[in-house]
Amino acid sequence: MTDYYRGSGDADSTQQHSTQGFQGQGGQGQGLQGSAYPPPPAYGPSIPVGSTGTTTATAHRRAKRPVALLAAVAIAAAVVGGGTAALVGNYTGGGTDSTGTTVSGTTVSQSSAGTVAGVAQAVSPAIVEINATSTSGEATGSGVIITSGGEIITNNHVIAGASSIKVQLSTGKSYTAQVVGTDANKDLALIKLEGASGLKTATLGNSDQVKVGDQVVAIGSPEGLTGTVTSGIISALNRDVTVAKEQDQGQQQQPQRGGGNWPFEFGGQQFNGDTGSSKTTYKALQTDASLNPGNSGGALINMNGEIIGINSAMYAPSSSSASGSSGAGSVGLGFAIPVNTVKSDLAALRSGGTS
């Protein structure tokens, strides 16, 4: 009787197989040993499955449909963002959490993984605005929370010479901060919030894995606009950037609103003023993500939501100084201190070392 199901539903082939099934090998009627009357029907009998009357062939064809659907959906998910693993986990009962992929300090939703929106949503809570008051005025910069107790990485030039430091979280809550340690040679500083706990922290990535052309997101507080998000790519690696180690008279001619007057040298030229005689040079990541005055100390982030650099310098046309503006708009030349430099310097900063 198995010959009834060799075809794919074609009526003629089914009829042919069914007749053969009753003939046997000895000719017409011999295969049934004398019980060929009444004659066999011209079609195969239905074989009920359960109470619905579904044939085995029909059930077999229907059983394939969910598998085909899963494959199609998985392919679509891979195209829009690589969520296949979570989807397959849902359908097969696997343990993958479909709500997102959790990494230390940040959570990027699978549905928005690899997007600027997903990175911004995940990392923005760990980026702060820093207002440092000194005798020369007020400097506004940014910082990155690296511990839930309120340790924050920023640029040394953001807090250099400050008599008081106020920090505002993305939630709007404000704290007073104290300087833990500074490293003017690397233009890095570590500050700590007073009385903070349970803060959202950023994940420090690996800047040695960064490649030219990688997409990046920058988050900071340009001109005091807290939580501003921009995006771009890595334009170059290992750029030699020279910055002043400490404030001098040239930098104190006007308040450092947004840190716009912080001078640096690149490619044999000086930008945003004279760096003075006390200076330091470090290797930087170059990006075309829009950086403006106030982004200093903020985060440069890869599409996995990991910090790969601390934004530290931006090119501003020299005409901005003549106009008295705190800084011109971004022209796509920004620089960031590689995060591996930050990680190697953390122990010294935590010990309170200064340089």
Side-chain angles (χ1 to χ4, degrees):
M1 296 295 288
T2 57
D3 284 339
Y4 290 128
Y5 305 100
R6 290 179 183 174
S8 58
D10 184 280
D12 293 338
S13 63
T14 303
Q15 182 174 349
Q16 180 180 0
H17 292 318
S18 64
T19 303
Q20 292 175 353
F22 282 92
Q23 287 179 346
Q25 298 179 357
Q28 183 175 0
Q30 295 180 10
L32 296 178
Q33 300 295 328
S35 57
Y37 187 86
Y43 52 84
S46 299
I47 301 177
V49 178
S51 60
T52 62
T54 304
T55 65
T56 303
T58 303
H60 181 66
R61 287 195 299 271
R62 289 181 179 175
K64 290 181 178 180
R65 291 177 184 172
V67 177
L69 176 62
L70 176 60
V73 174
I75 292 172
V79 171
V80 300
T84 308
L87 183 67
V88 173
N90 276 347
Y91 275 88
T92 60
T96 303
D97 180 6
S98 63
T99 61
T101 302
T102 302
V103 295
S104 175
T106 58
T107 302
V108 179
S109 167
Q110 284 284 8
S111 63
S112 57
T115 68
V116 175
V119 171
Q121 182 179 18
V123 185
S124 288
I127 311 302
V128 302
E129 177 181 315
I130 299 174
N131 290 283
T133 302
S134 67
T135 56
S136 61
E138 181 180 284
T140 299
S142 307
V144 180
I145 302 173
I146 60 171
T147 63
S148 60
E151 283 188 332
I152 295 173
I153 283 289
T154 187
N155 287 137
N156 177 65
H157 74 256
V158 171
I159 55 86
S163 56
S164 67
I165 302 173
K166 299 292 184 183
V167 174
Q168 180 176 311
L169 306 185
S170 62
T171 59
K173 187 173 183 178
S174 294
Y175 289 89
T176 297
Q178 300 296 329
V179 175
V180 176
T182 62
D183 187 343
N185 288 324
K186 297 182 177 68
D187 195 18
L188 291 172
L190 181 68
I191 63 175
K192 192 174 189 305
L193 305 183
E194 295 180 347
S197 63
L199 302 182
K200 188 70 175 288
T201 63
T203 299
L204 303 184
N206 184 355
S207 52
D208 288 344
Q209 296 179 348
V210 174
K211 300 184 296 296
V212 173
D214 283 351
Q215 289 184 292
V216 290
V217 174
I219 305 179
S221 300
E223 300 293 357
L225 300 175
T226 305
T228 295
V229 176
T230 58
S231 64
I233 63 168
I234 293 294
S235 305
L237 305 174
N238 299 316
R239 292 297 199 197
D240 287 328
V241 174
T242 300
V243 298
K245 292 179 64 173
E246 57 189 40
Q247 294 182 348
D248 59 24
Q249 285 301 116
Q251 297 160 228
Q252 296 181 19
Q253 291 175 356
Q254 58 181 333
Q256 299 180 51
R257 181 61 184 173
N261 296 323
W262 185 251
F264 75 99
E265 297 176 7
F266 166 68
Q269 301 181 62
Q270 293 182 339
F271 302 101
N272 307 339
D274 186 357
T275 55
S277 58
S278 179
K279 61 184 71 174
T280 185
T281 300
Y282 56 81
K283 299 289 186 179
L285 305 174
Q286 182 182 330
T287 180
D288 70 348
S290 180
L291 300 181
N292 289 289
N295 274 113
S296 289
L300 192 65
I301 312 155
N302 66 19
M303 303 311 288
N304 294 323
E306 301 167 332
I307 310 300
I308 58 170
I310 300 298
N311 299 321
S312 56
M314 55 156 285
Y315 167 77
S318 57
S319 59
S320 65
S321 298
S323 66
S325 170
S326 63
S330 172
V331 294
L333 285 174
F335 303 92
I337 301 167
V339 74
N340 284 6
T341 300
V342 177
K343 292 192 290 187
S344 66
D345 207 29
L346 266 180
L349 291 173
R350 282 174 171 151
S351 68
T354 59
S355 59

